[in-house]
Amino acid sequence: MIATPLTTEKKVSLQLLHLYPDLLNLYGDRGNIIALSRRCQWRHIEFTIVQASLGDKVDFSTIDIVFMGGGSDREQTLLFQDFKAYKGPALVEATEEGLPLLAVCGGYQLLGKYYKTQEGDEMPGLGLFDAWTEAGKNRLIGNVVARIPLLGPNITLVGFENHSGKTYLGSSETTVPLAQIIAGHGNNGQDKGEGAIYKNAVGTYLHGPILPKNPAFADWLLTKALERKYGKGQLEPLPDLWEQKAHQSVVKRFS
Ligand code: GLN
């Protein structure tokens, strides 16, 4: 059970907002929500999920974690205007105050300043990350192993990438790469950066889904959400035997 400052018997709970589940749902990214849900259930933390898609307004005051999956260019063009108009301002405000967010690939790209497709269609993003994405001729595909300083020295992050967009981070101190590539392409296949982080908002190119094979990263998101909601919250360690076996098999095979 988490050690919280709460003196009452109040149940510890977290609510996740799943953005555009009907459109941004590539490569099993929904598995990330299942992983977070199970890691809470195993610790007797109540975990609820609300969804929002085209035309839905969101009350972010009831949200503890946000998740956005990946999507093809077609799906991204269907939602970027809705994202900017209906969710954008409130989402940026909430992340400024430390709301944890995980966005994968297509979702990640729409949190930057813009995403320009191979056909030259430019989709303005939220500008939450000081980053921009431009599609190249070749897709960046394959297994990825990267070092994630956020979780400590020599901790690795593994996953699978499949994107034509190449993302470049600006020179601001605020948005920095989430991880450093050991094997694979990452943001753009050139600067060895993978993903981006700004406060507790994280973008990544790693599908897989990313969280089951990276339990420490899953727990980082949960810890940030508990800290924001309850002041602080230490998570009881889980055995993670299968998770570490899956993680190490990727590290051994690809790095
Ligand atoms: N359509 C975007 C690209 O090709 C994102 C792809 C994805 O989410 N896997 O880069």
Side-chain angles (χ1 to χ4, degrees):
M1 193 56 185
I2 64 170
T4 80
L6 297 177
T7 50
T8 63
E9 285 310 304
K10 188 175 171 227
K11 183 135 184 73
V12 175
S13 65
L14 292 175
Q15 178 146 279
L16 177 137
L17 167 67
H18 189 181
L19 280 173
Y20 305 105
D22 51 338
L23 293 166
L24 294 180
N25 54 10
L26 273 187
Y27 310 128
D29 289 337
R30 196 173 60 85
N32 292 308
I33 296 176
I34 297 170
L36 291 172
S37 174
R38 295 297 286 141
R39 297 185 74 79
C40 281
Q41 285 167 6
W42 289 328
R43 291 155 164 146
H44 310 293
I45 299 170
E46 187 182 61
F47 190 84
T48 51
I49 301 159
V50 291
Q51 299 183 337
S53 191
L54 296 176
D56 294 332
K57 285 200 182 304
V58 178
D59 173 8
F60 283 94
S61 67
T62 64
I63 304 301
D64 302 310
I65 300 181
V66 177
F67 177 72
M68 289 176 80
S72 71
D73 290 4
R74 180 184 168 280
E75 271 92 10
Q76 288 172 288
T77 55
L78 292 175
L79 66 89
F80 78 91
Q81 286 163 329
D82 175 276
F83 186 39
K84 206 160 162 64
Y86 288 103
K87 286 78 173 168
L91 176 57
V92 171
E93 189 183 331
T95 50
E96 280 295 337
E97 289 153 17
L99 176 67
L101 171 147
L102 174 64
V104 178
C105 205
Y108 164 32
Q109 294 169 336
L110 294 177
L111 290 170
K113 294 175 180 171
Y114 67 85
Y115 170 42
K116 191 172 186 180
T117 67
Q118 206 171 318
E119 291 69 33
D121 301 323
E122 188 166 311
M123 294 176 241
L126 297 195
L128 172 70
F129 293 133
D130 177 14
W132 61 96
T133 301
E134 299 194 351
K137 289 214 176 324
N138 310 316
R139 294 191 71 79
L140 304 182
I141 300 174
N143 284 278
V144 175
V145 180
R147 192 159 287 114
I148 177 166
L150 176 75
L151 300 179
N154 301 320
I155 304 290
T156 45
L157 194 68
V158 300
F160 184 85
E161 63 184 330
N162 182 339
H163 52 106
S164 63
K166 293 185 175 182
T167 297
Y168 300 89
L169 304 192
S171 56
S172 75
E173 295 297 304
T174 53
T175 301
V176 295
L178 172 69
Q180 292 301 322
I181 289 291
I182 297 171
H185 306 284
N187 283 333
N188 49 52
Q190 295 148 310
D191 63 16
K192 295 288 183 195
E194 149 42 33
I197 181 166
Y198 170 61
K199 297 196 174 184
N200 294 329
V202 173
T204 178
Y205 271 113
L206 301 192
H207 296 284
I210 180 173
L211 295 182
K213 287 184 185 170
N214 300 281
F217 183 38
D219 282 353
W220 180 86
L221 284 166
L222 294 175
T223 301
K224 288 300 172 189
L226 289 167
E227 287 174 348
R228 178 173 173 268
K229 187 168 185 177
Y230 295 109
K232 69 176 184 177
Q234 295 300 317
L235 284 172
E236 185 186 342
L238 294 172
D240 288 339
L241 301 180
W242 290 107
E243 295 82 352
Q244 292 304 346
K245 205 175 164 74
H247 183 105
Q248 289 308 324
S249 70
V250 179
V251 173
K252 286 197 183 76
R253 193 158 156 220
F254 295 101
S255 59

